[in-house]
Amino acid sequence: MDMLGTHELKLSGSRPPGFIPQPTPSLLERIRDHGAIEPVVVRPLPAGGYEILSNPETWLAAGELELPNVPVVIRDDLDDEQAAQVVQDHYVLRHRNPIEEARYFEARLERFGGQKSRGAVTKLAFHLKRPRPYIAHAIRLLKLPAQIQGMIATGELSAGQARPLISINDRALQLSLAKKIAADQLSARQAEALAKSVKSGDAEIAPADSVTSPTTQSKSPDVLRLERLVSQAIGTEFVLEGDRAVIKFFGNNEILEGILNKLGVRL
């Protein structure tokens, strides 16, 4: 492993438009206490300096902490197309929500013949160094209705909570179950048990329209659009309730730190 000066590195122009990575408070604390451990993957630029291909968070944290050097892995064996793909893989696999990740996996499968091609998922898993079941389960989320995919994208439902709904054939029933799971904050295991009981006829769920709150029904299209745009921007559900703005948080402290970072709050 090599060491390079932080001033020698620069963010790649191949990163998703408008996306600038941010180190989490926990990463800053680890680097402050123990130094930068996870290396930044870079490649040399013809005009001098190095392009960051993955793990820019370590470089940004080092700069914020005024560290002069960071550990790096130098890749001088990649052409422009290969380097751009490494950058895209990093941002998608670390920073996108489960639905964006699933769409990315689906698109990347085309390189190996598409979803219907035998062994395509296995080849993609090897290429991305991800477990095959993880990629297969992720892509299956795209079978869910768009409204449920939206709930997953904003964090209202986790992928684990939503996955049992794929086996439900009735789309209206899927939506009803999704809303109940989110409202009751059921665990993934509880969501799976609920879906099984509904399929077997041991439980009944009201139609989707009946579980929509009066508050939601009375909101104007402009308010609903604002809620959707803010939810997408911060990565979790944002709602306006009377004179209150509410951010609904689902997840662990790392997710909360990410939300706060997007709002410009540093712990």
Side-chain angles (χ1 to χ4, degrees):
M1 189 182 303
D2 298 301
M3 298 290 290
L4 287 175
T6 54
H7 66 282
E8 298 181 76
L9 278 57
K10 62 179 292 186
L11 291 174
S12 173
S14 298
R15 68 184 188 276
F19 191 98
I20 298 178
Q22 293 292 333
T24 63
S26 61
L27 176 61
L28 287 166
E29 183 177 355
R30 288 197 302 272
I31 292 178
R32 184 184 295 112
D33 293 343
H34 307 291
I37 298 174
E38 185 177 0
V40 184
V41 179
V42 302
R43 72 163 180 157
L45 293 170
Y50 295 83
E51 175 189 14
I52 298 174
L53 303 182
S54 70
N55 197 27
E57 294 82 8
T58 291
W59 171 70
L60 289 165
E64 188 166 332
L65 296 171
E66 299 183 350
L67 300 180
N69 303 300
V70 289
V72 298
V73 172
I74 300 175
R75 296 290 305 272
D76 54 8
D77 58 332
L78 302 175
D79 60 27
D80 290 345
E81 183 178 352
Q82 291 170 327
Q85 193 61 68
V86 172
V87 174
Q88 290 292 321
D89 287 345
H90 170 82
Y91 280 93
V92 170
L93 297 179
R94 284 205 178 188
H95 301 290
R96 294 193 176 183
N97 65 58
I99 296 302
E100 290 174 321
E101 183 181 58
R103 289 173 181 154
Y104 181 75
F105 288 153
E106 184 180 51
R108 289 298 305 278
L109 277 177
E110 294 303 315
R111 176 179 175 181
F112 303 101
Q115 288 191 59
K116 296 182 179 179
S117 176
R118 185 175 181 179
V121 175
T122 300
K123 293 175 183 176
L124 179 61
F126 177 79
H127 178 75
L128 296 179
K129 295 180 174 54
R130 282 292 180 103
R132 184 192 180 284
Y134 179 91
I135 294 178
H137 286 317
I139 294 173
R140 291 181 69 226
L141 293 174
L142 300 179
K143 296 180 179 180
L144 291 167
Q147 190 168 349
I148 297 179
Q149 291 186 34
M151 295 172 71
I152 299 170
T154 60
E156 188 176 356
L157 277 181
S158 70
Q161 288 173 310
R163 196 167 290 119
L165 303 178
I166 298 171
S167 62
I168 305 293
N169 295 323
D170 187 320
R171 296 177 77 82
L173 182 56
Q174 283 179 319
L175 182 56
S176 297
L177 285 168
K179 291 183 176 181
K180 178 174 177 57
I181 291 167
D184 295 347
Q185 297 187 30
L186 301 183
S187 67
R189 188 180 297 273
Q190 290 171 325
E192 183 178 5
L194 176 62
K196 285 182 178 179
S197 64
V198 168
K199 285 182 66 177
S200 65
D202 294 334
E204 294 184 1
I205 300 295
D209 290 344
S210 68
V211 295
T212 302
S213 69
T215 302
T216 299
Q217 291 178 336
S218 63
K219 290 179 180 178
S220 71
D222 288 340
V223 169
L224 293 174
R225 180 175 178 273
L226 175 62
E227 289 179 341
R228 185 178 69 254
L229 291 175
V230 175
S231 296
Q232 292 172 347
I234 65 176
T236 192
E237 185 181 8
F238 169 87
V239 294
L240 295 173
E241 298 178 352
D243 58 355
R244 297 190 306 156
V246 179
I247 295 174
K248 296 186 177 181
F249 163 60
F250 302 90
N252 57 28
N253 288 337
E254 289 289 333
I255 295 175
L256 177 58
E257 288 174 1
I259 296 169
L260 294 176
N261 280 337
K262 290 181 179 180
L263 294 173
V265 177
R266 295 292 181 88
L267 297 178

